[in-house]
Amino acid sequence: MKKIIIISMIVLTLCGCGSKENETNEYDAKVGEIQNLVESNKEMPKFSISVMGLIDDTITNEDLKNLKIYDFEVDVTAYDLDPNSDVYHEKWSGVKLSEVLAKKNIENYDSLDFKATGNLTVTYTKEEINDNLYLVFYRNDVLLSETEDTPIMLFAADLKNRFWVPSLTRIDVR
């Protein structure tokens, strides 16, 4: 009888007694992928971002009023460096960073430093800047100005870490 119990415990340990791993792997297929991307009818709030470095300028809502605003959904992990952390489904609304950079003629750079209130700075290389980076204004249909220090944040859906910069105030062009 002891042998049967010991063998059963070993089998359960080796096989994994739950299905959490399978659920996680199936769900991981959507983590970091933009889903349900559609053009939005939301209004862009007032904001201002300082641009410094190779280019000194300002990006405001008035500069971007002709850009399309998109609604999209993304599954993100609670802790980006832990693949086993909880996954949250979020709705976002904003403009594509690539379109913002083109509109402001920010083309010749090696990297961009995104600075938030406080001391947070996140750097993205030119190779990391793609159509999956957004300047967002709404999270789950709520204006960011109601929950954050500023009305705008950078969201990078497909990066495994550094996937957002909350309370964005400045971009340094390097």
Side-chain angles (χ1 to χ4, degrees), residues 55-77:
I55 297 171
D56 289 330
D57 201 351
T58 303
I59 299 171
T60 69
N61 54 297
E62 286 298 315
D63 296 328
L64 308 182
K65 65 182 174 186
N66 293 328
L67 292 185
K68 292 179 185 175
I69 296 177
Y70 297 95
D71 292 332
F72 58 94
E73 299 171 25
V74 177
D75 296 327
V76 296
T77 55

Side-chain angles (χ1 to χ4, degrees), residues 27-137:
Y27 202 54
D28 279 349
K30 292 187 178 180
V31 169
E33 292 180 18
I34 292 177
Q35 305 161 42
N36 304 318
L37 179 70
V38 295
E39 226 175 288
S40 177
N41 60 1
K42 291 184 176 78
E43 290 189 28
M44 190 179 304
K46 291 183 180 181
F47 70 90
S48 178
I49 302 170
S50 298
V51 179
M52 302 177 115
L54 296 175
I55 297 171
D56 289 330
D57 201 351
T58 303
I59 299 171
T60 69
N61 54 297
E62 286 298 315
D63 296 328
L64 308 182
K65 65 182 174 186
N66 293 328
L67 292 185
K68 292 179 185 175
I69 296 177
Y70 297 95
D71 292 332
F72 58 94
E73 299 171 25
V74 177
D75 296 327
V76 296
T77 55
Y79 302 101
D80 54 355
L81 299 178
D82 179 4
N84 296 318
S85 69
D86 292 336
V87 175
Y88 295 95
H89 186 80
E90 301 277 351
K91 296 178 185 178
W92 300 91
S93 301
V95 294
K96 290 184 179 186
L97 177 65
S98 59
E99 293 176 4
V100 171
L101 297 175
K103 179 88 172 175
K104 295 299 286 186
N105 295 314
I106 302 173
E107 300 168 350
N108 297 319
Y109 61 91
D110 292 324
S111 64
L112 299 175
D113 293 345
F114 293 87
K115 298 183 180 279
T117 57
N119 292 323
L120 178 66
T121 299
V122 179
T123 301
Y124 296 91
T125 65
K126 189 167 190 168
E127 292 75 30
E128 291 174 315
I129 305 293
N130 60 39
D131 277 346
N132 289 328
L133 275 75
Y134 286 80
L135 295 179
V136 294
F137 315 106

Side-chain angles (χ1 to χ4, degrees), residues 129-148:
I129 305 293
N130 60 39
D131 277 346
N132 289 328
L133 275 75
Y134 286 80
L135 295 179
V136 294
F137 315 106
Y138 294 85
R139 181 178 189 176
N140 297 322
D141 294 323
V142 176
L143 276 167
L144 289 177
S145 59
E146 296 180 22
T147 60
E148 302 289 332

